[in-house]
């Protein structure tokens, strides 16, 4: 299941990140948009390095959070969809 | 719960008193006894830097474990790999520890949110390393795999020779071939490699 996801999303262009306590703000200078990210979304965004496959992300989330693979898959894909919609990642064209 | 820091343990007990009935152990041995005999909802273990992680594995056999430890990625990953379901920072707030306890009692895992990214990266890297190591096992002959398994299980050259009905010199040759094929440089490295991979494979067959 997780192995099917061979996409390798990467962070989009220039993004300024400010971390404070459990809050993360990501500013995209190109669009002028400021995005508030929760720590889970930030963790997935951190993994978007152009080398880590989505399948690897799903397996790591499942292992670290004791979630089953299908739950981890849903969480990771939904997060990537959201990050892509905000213009924070490239190389991801949606879960479907 | 147990912490080697008495003041910290007292404060944590007070913080937990609002949500549960904490029982404080005098030492790790008593903590293990309590975990084994009193069916707690969760166990809190304060592990100092350099402390043994085996105790986490032993505790996790009885109840979900929250480790309180340093703000250190390696220590956190070791704790999670040893069986901890929750991890809270010893220098963080007591409420964060209480939150972690409530989470693991609910059946959820809980690590400090801001450490999630680096932990996920560490897990990805470890899984990649394991995959490469498993693939390198495919280059070994069936006989070399037997020698690797016996070496990993703690047998010396003489014992392996007797078990496989071959000469000690042949065992040495097999070990040299294993080291060469796996790019390892000592018997200790071979044993560690076997422990990480072959033993895991045995367990998955059970």
């Amino acid at each position: 299941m997780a192995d099917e996801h061979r996409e390798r999303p990467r962070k989009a262009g220039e993004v300024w990140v400010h971390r404070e306590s459990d809050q993360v703000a990501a500013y995209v200078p190109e669009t002028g948009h400021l995005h508030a990210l929760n720590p889970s979304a930030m963790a997935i965004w951190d993994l978007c390095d152009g080398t880590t496959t989505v399948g690897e992300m799903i397996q790591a989330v499942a292992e670290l959070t004791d979630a089953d693979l299908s739950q981890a898959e849903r969480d990771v894909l939904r997060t990537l969809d959201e990050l892509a919609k905000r213009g924070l990642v490239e190389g991801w064209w949606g879960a479907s | 719960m147990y912490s080697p820091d008495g003041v910290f343990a007292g404060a944590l007990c007070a913080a937990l008193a609002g949500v549960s009935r904490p029982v404080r152990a005098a030492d790790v041995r008593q903590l293990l006894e309590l975990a084994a005999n009193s069916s707690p909802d969760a166990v809190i273990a304060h592990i100092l830097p350099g402390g043994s992680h085996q105790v986490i594995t032993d505790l996790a056999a009885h109840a979900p474990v929250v480790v309180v430890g340093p703000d250190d990625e390696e220590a956190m990953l070791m704790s999670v790999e040893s069986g901890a379901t929750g991890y809270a920072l010893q220098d963080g707030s007591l409420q964060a520890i209480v939150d972690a306890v409530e989470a693991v009692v609910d059946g959820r895992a809980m690590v400090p949110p801001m450490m999630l990214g680096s932990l996920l990266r560490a897990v990805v890297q470890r899984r990649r390393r394991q995959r490469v190591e498993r693939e390198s096992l495919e280059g070994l002959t069936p006989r070399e795999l037997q020698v690797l398994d016996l070496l990993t299980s703690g047998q010396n050259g003489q014992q392996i020779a007797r078990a496989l009905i071959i000469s000690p010199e042949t065992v040495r040759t097999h070990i040299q071939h294993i080291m060469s094929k796996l790019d390892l440089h000592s018997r200790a490295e071979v044993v560690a490699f076997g422990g990480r991979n072959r033993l895991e494979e045995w367990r998955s067959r059970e």
Side-chain angles (χ1 to χ4, degrees), chain B residues 90-199:
Chain B
Q90 61 192 16
D91 298 325
S93 70
L94 290 175
Q95 186 56 46
I97 302 172
V98 174
D99 290 346
V101 171
E102 290 184 315
V104 303
V105 170
D106 276 353
R108 292 177 285 122
M110 172 72 90
V111 296
M114 296 307 278
M115 294 294 288
L116 198 53
S118 50
L119 280 174
L120 282 175
R121 181 166 301 287
V123 172
V124 167
Q125 285 169 349
R126 178 174 48 72
R127 293 183 71 101
R128 281 181 186 167
R129 191 178 62 241
Q130 286 173 337
R131 190 170 62 239
V132 169
E133 288 188 349
R134 287 203 195 97
E135 284 168 2
S136 68
L137 276 173
E138 290 169 12
L140 299 187
T141 65
R143 195 54 134 183
E144 287 163 353
L145 286 171
Q146 285 179 312
V147 171
L148 174 62
D149 289 343
L150 291 168
L151 203 58
T152 304
S153 69
Q155 300 202 35
N156 61 29
Q158 292 283 352
Q159 292 167 319
I160 295 171
R162 276 198 298 274
L164 299 181
I165 318 174
I166 55 179
S167 73
E169 183 55 43
T170 304
V171 172
R172 274 194 289 277
T173 302
H174 283 313
I175 293 173
Q176 281 166 2
H177 288 166
I178 291 168
M179 289 167 60
S180 169
K181 288 180 179 179
L182 300 180
D183 194 24
L184 301 173
H185 307 289
S186 69
R187 283 195 181 199
E189 284 187 13
V190 173
V191 171
F193 182 99
R196 285 195 302 270
N197 295 282
R198 295 293 290 170
L199 290 180

Side-chain angles (χ1 to χ4, degrees), chain A residues 62-82:
Chain A
E63 181 177 328
L64 198 63
T65 63
D66 266 350
D68 61 45
L69 271 179
S70 57
Q71 179 63 51
E73 182 182 35
R74 281 194 296 275
D75 291 344
V76 170
L77 299 188
R78 191 174 56 230
T79 302
L80 286 171
D81 282 350
E82 190 60 33

Side-chain angles (χ1 to χ4, degrees), chain A residues 40-71:
Chain A
S40 301
M42 190 66 205
I44 297 297
W45 188 74
D46 272 344
L47 285 179
C48 293
D49 55 9
T51 66
T52 304
T53 67
V54 174
E56 286 178 313
M57 295 179 193
I58 292 167
Q59 285 170 336
V61 167
E63 181 177 328
L64 198 63
T65 63
D66 266 350
D68 61 45
L69 271 179
S70 57
Q71 179 63 51

